[in-house]
Every structure is written in structure tokens, then in C-alpha cells.
Amino acid sequence: MSEGDSVGDSVHGKPSVVYRFFTRLGQIYQSWLDKSTPYTAVRWVVTLGLSFVYMIRVYLLQGWYIVTYALGIYHLNLFIAFLSPKVDPSLMEDSDDGPSLPTKQNEEFRPFIRRLPEFKFWHAATKGILVAMACTFFEAFNVPVFWPILVMYFIMLFCITMKRQIKHMIKYRYIPFTHGKRTYRGKDDAGKTFAS
């Protein structure tokens, strides 16, 4: 391979200015994401705030209903992935190859592992809101539609999808909102310690 053939290389073998700029920008973005990881409540409050600002913008502009509908479908898809187990128990029913969810009280505890983890759910939902917000600045995305039909269709789609998901949860006995294994308190130790 000759000089300048690899991605981002200039003619002289050094990374180009544009490549270095976007690499540095990506590092800064990833650093902010890493710093925000432990602050779950703050992240979701910011996302809800962005979503509120987006709704106000759509209301005031009286348009971009298709973009809003697409955003709602995208968020519904993310939510279903968030509620679903990583390994679908309906596919594991006949095979004994991998781990399965416990179905009896005396079976070993296995934590619920999501198909879409909370952080990725938040990140994708926030990016979706920002992309939808950016779309409201372009008139090409303002397709004239009768919005009440979109609202009714979304509500119907939401109800059908959630009904199917809840039936799946009941059938395979999993709850996506567990907080880990139960801990039991033993007797308080009233004895003396040996290190006196």
C-alpha cells in the first residue's frame, strides 16, 4: 500500500487536518457520553426536556406531523427492544443450548438482560429527538397530512404492540423491571470479635 492510501492520510503520510478534527470531535463526544453514564435521572430529564421543546416547536409551527409520527414509531420500537430479553425465550423453548429465564420458584436466579440496555436506549432516543428537531428546519419534511388520523393510528399501533409484549411477558414469566437478586437479612451477630 502506498502513502496516502489509508483512510484519513494525506499525501505525506500524516493524518489530514479534517481527519484529525473529526477524530478529536469524536473523542470529545465519547468523553461526554462516558461522563454522563452514572447520571441516569439527569440524562432522562434532559431528554424529556428536549422532547418537550420539540413538541412545542411542532405545535407552534403547525406542521412536520410526519416527522413527529416517525419519531413516535422509532421511540416505540426502542421501548419494545428495551422491554424485551436479549435471548427470546420463545426461540429457546425447544433447545437446551443456552441460558433461559427461570420458570419455577426453586430455579436458579438469572438476571434479566435486555436486548437494548438503558444507556443505549437513552442515547438512541435523544439522537432521534435531535434529528427530528433538525428536520423541522427544512420545509421538504413538512408534508401536509391530516394529523388526527396519524394520532389515532399511533395509539392503535401502541396498544396492539404493548398488548403483544405484555402477553409475551406473561407467557414466559419475565418482568423487565427487576432490581437484582433478593437479599435476606440474617440474624444479628451479638458475639464478641476476636480482635480485641
mmCIF file of all heavy atoms in Angstrom, residues 6-22:
data_model
loop_
_atom_site.group_PDB
_atom_site.id
_atom_site.type_symbol
_atom_site.label_atom_id
_atom_site.label_comp_id
_atom_site.label_asym_id
_atom_site.label_seq_id
_atom_site.Cartn_x
_atom_site.Cartn_y
_atom_site.Cartn_z
ATOM 1 N N SER A 6 -4.320 4.890 3.077
ATOM 2 C CA SER A 6 -5.167 4.569 4.227
ATOM 3 C C SER A 6 -6.126 5.728 4.504
ATOM 4 O O SER A 6 -5.908 6.857 4.094
ATOM 5 C CB SER A 6 -4.322 4.259 5.459
ATOM 6 O OG SER A 6 -3.614 5.401 5.864
ATOM 7 N N VAL A 7 -7.165 5.420 5.221
ATOM 8 C CA VAL A 7 -8.222 6.390 5.481
ATOM 9 C C VAL A 7 -7.673 7.547 6.316
ATOM 10 O O VAL A 7 -7.061 7.346 7.355
ATOM 11 C CB VAL A 7 -9.396 5.722 6.229
ATOM 12 C CG1 VAL A 7 -10.450 6.749 6.590
ATOM 13 C CG2 VAL A 7 -9.984 4.611 5.400
ATOM 14 N N GLY A 8 -7.895 8.759 5.860
ATOM 15 C CA GLY A 8 -7.513 9.945 6.608
ATOM 16 C C GLY A 8 -6.073 10.374 6.410
ATOM 17 O O GLY A 8 -5.647 11.368 6.975
ATOM 18 N N ASP A 9 -5.289 9.620 5.642
ATOM 19 C CA ASP A 9 -3.900 10.014 5.425
ATOM 20 C C ASP A 9 -3.821 11.066 4.323
ATOM 21 O O ASP A 9 -4.550 11.028 3.343
ATOM 22 C CB ASP A 9 -3.044 8.822 5.010
ATOM 23 C CG ASP A 9 -2.689 7.938 6.192
ATOM 24 O OD1 ASP A 9 -3.073 8.311 7.320
ATOM 25 O OD2 ASP A 9 -2.044 6.897 5.988
ATOM 26 N N SER A 10 -2.896 11.981 4.493
ATOM 27 C CA SER A 10 -2.642 12.955 3.441
ATOM 28 C C SER A 10 -1.548 12.387 2.543
ATOM 29 O O SER A 10 -1.090 11.262 2.718
ATOM 30 C CB SER A 10 -2.221 14.296 4.049
ATOM 31 O OG SER A 10 -0.947 14.165 4.653
ATOM 32 N N VAL A 11 -1.093 13.149 1.616
ATOM 33 C CA VAL A 11 -0.072 12.698 0.673
ATOM 34 C C VAL A 11 1.244 12.413 1.385
ATOM 35 O O VAL A 11 1.994 11.529 0.997
ATOM 36 C CB VAL A 11 0.124 13.767 -0.438
ATOM 37 C CG1 VAL A 11 1.220 13.375 -1.401
ATOM 38 C CG2 VAL A 11 -1.185 14.009 -1.145
ATOM 39 N N HIS A 12 1.529 13.092 2.481
ATOM 40 C CA HIS A 12 2.810 12.965 3.165
ATOM 41 C C HIS A 12 2.804 11.900 4.264
ATOM 42 O O HIS A 12 3.781 11.762 4.978
ATOM 43 C CB HIS A 12 3.226 14.312 3.766
ATOM 44 C CG HIS A 12 3.287 15.400 2.739
ATOM 45 N ND1 HIS A 12 4.213 15.422 1.726
ATOM 46 C CD2 HIS A 12 2.509 16.493 2.551
ATOM 47 C CE1 HIS A 12 4.020 16.483 0.959
ATOM 48 N NE2 HIS A 12 2.979 17.148 1.443
ATOM 49 N N GLY A 13 1.731 11.149 4.428
ATOM 50 C CA GLY A 13 1.696 10.077 5.415
ATOM 51 C C GLY A 13 1.130 10.490 6.759
ATOM 52 O O GLY A 13 0.832 9.653 7.588
ATOM 53 N N LYS A 14 0.994 11.778 6.999
ATOM 54 C CA LYS A 14 0.395 12.245 8.253
ATOM 55 C C LYS A 14 -1.110 12.325 8.085
ATOM 56 O O LYS A 14 -1.596 12.557 6.980
ATOM 57 C CB LYS A 14 0.919 13.635 8.609
ATOM 58 C CG LYS A 14 2.352 13.685 9.015
ATOM 59 C CD LYS A 14 2.699 15.113 9.393
ATOM 60 C CE LYS A 14 4.122 15.245 9.864
ATOM 61 N NZ LYS A 14 4.438 16.629 10.213
ATOM 62 N N PRO A 15 -1.869 12.159 9.175
ATOM 63 C CA PRO A 15 -3.325 12.329 9.062
ATOM 64 C C PRO A 15 -3.675 13.748 8.643
ATOM 65 O O PRO A 15 -3.037 14.708 9.064
ATOM 66 C CB PRO A 15 -3.830 12.042 10.481
ATOM 67 C CG PRO A 15 -2.742 11.280 11.138
ATOM 68 C CD PRO A 15 -1.462 11.724 10.505
ATOM 69 N N SER A 16 -4.682 13.866 7.810
ATOM 70 C CA SER A 16 -5.086 15.179 7.324
ATOM 71 C C SER A 16 -5.731 15.982 8.453
ATOM 72 O O SER A 16 -6.146 15.439 9.474
ATOM 73 C CB SER A 16 -6.062 15.037 6.153
ATOM 74 O OG SER A 16 -7.266 14.484 6.618
ATOM 75 N N VAL A 17 -5.849 17.269 8.244
ATOM 76 C CA VAL A 17 -6.425 18.170 9.236
ATOM 77 C C VAL A 17 -7.891 17.824 9.479
ATOM 78 O O VAL A 17 -8.360 17.808 10.619
ATOM 79 C CB VAL A 17 -6.284 19.641 8.763
ATOM 80 C CG1 VAL A 17 -6.977 20.589 9.722
ATOM 81 C CG2 VAL A 17 -4.827 20.012 8.608
ATOM 82 N N VAL A 18 -8.612 17.516 8.412
ATOM 83 C CA VAL A 18 -10.028 17.173 8.531
ATOM 84 C C VAL A 18 -10.189 15.884 9.338
ATOM 85 O O VAL A 18 -11.032 15.796 10.235
ATOM 86 C CB VAL A 18 -10.677 17.032 7.133
ATOM 87 C CG1 VAL A 18 -12.107 16.544 7.238
ATOM 88 C CG2 VAL A 18 -10.599 18.345 6.385
ATOM 89 N N TYR A 19 -9.363 14.880 9.032
ATOM 90 C CA TYR A 19 -9.415 13.607 9.756
ATOM 91 C C TYR A 19 -9.115 13.811 11.235
ATOM 92 O O TYR A 19 -9.808 13.280 12.094
ATOM 93 C CB TYR A 19 -8.422 12.619 9.138
ATOM 94 C CG TYR A 19 -8.385 11.300 9.851
ATOM 95 C CD1 TYR A 19 -9.392 10.357 9.668
ATOM 96 C CD2 TYR A 19 -7.340 10.988 10.726
ATOM 97 C CE1 TYR A 19 -9.371 9.144 10.320
ATOM 98 C CE2 TYR A 19 -7.308 9.772 11.381
ATOM 99 C CZ TYR A 19 -8.320 8.853 11.173
ATOM 100 O OH TYR A 19 -8.295 7.660 11.831
ATOM 101 N N ARG A 20 -8.090 14.590 11.548
ATOM 102 C CA ARG A 20 -7.736 14.860 12.954
ATOM 103 C C ARG A 20 -8.843 15.631 13.664
ATOM 104 O O ARG A 20 -9.139 15.365 14.823
ATOM 105 C CB ARG A 20 -6.418 15.637 13.037
ATOM 106 C CG ARG A 20 -5.207 14.744 12.795
ATOM 107 C CD ARG A 20 -3.914 15.474 13.035
ATOM 108 N NE ARG A 20 -3.721 16.367 11.891
ATOM 109 C CZ ARG A 20 -3.033 17.498 11.927
ATOM 110 N NH1 ARG A 20 -2.473 17.903 13.036
ATOM 111 N NH2 ARG A 20 -2.911 18.235 10.847
ATOM 112 N N PHE A 21 -9.476 16.584 12.952
ATOM 113 C CA PHE A 21 -10.565 17.357 13.551
ATOM 114 C C PHE A 21 -11.725 16.451 13.940
ATOM 115 O O PHE A 21 -12.232 16.512 15.057
ATOM 116 C CB PHE A 21 -11.038 18.446 12.577
ATOM 117 C CG PHE A 21 -12.287 19.138 13.028
ATOM 118 C CD1 PHE A 21 -12.242 20.081 14.049
ATOM 119 C CD2 PHE A 21 -13.513 18.840 12.446
ATOM 120 C CE1 PHE A 21 -13.398 20.724 14.471
ATOM 121 C CE2 PHE A 21 -14.675 19.470 12.871
ATOM 122 C CZ PHE A 21 -14.617 20.417 13.879
ATOM 123 N N PHE A 22 -12.161 15.592 13.006
ATOM 124 C CA PHE A 22 -13.299 14.720 13.301
ATOM 125 C C PHE A 22 -12.948 13.629 14.312
ATOM 126 O O PHE A 22 -13.800 13.213 15.091
ATOM 127 C CB PHE A 22 -13.876 14.126 12.015
ATOM 128 C CG PHE A 22 -14.715 15.115 11.257
ATOM 129 C CD1 PHE A 22 -14.286 15.625 10.044
ATOM 130 C CD2 PHE A 22 -15.928 15.558 11.771
ATOM 131 C CE1 PHE A 22 -15.049 16.546 9.353
ATOM 132 C CE2 PHE A 22 -16.705 16.476 11.092
ATOM 133 C CZ PHE A 22 -16.260 16.971 9.881
#
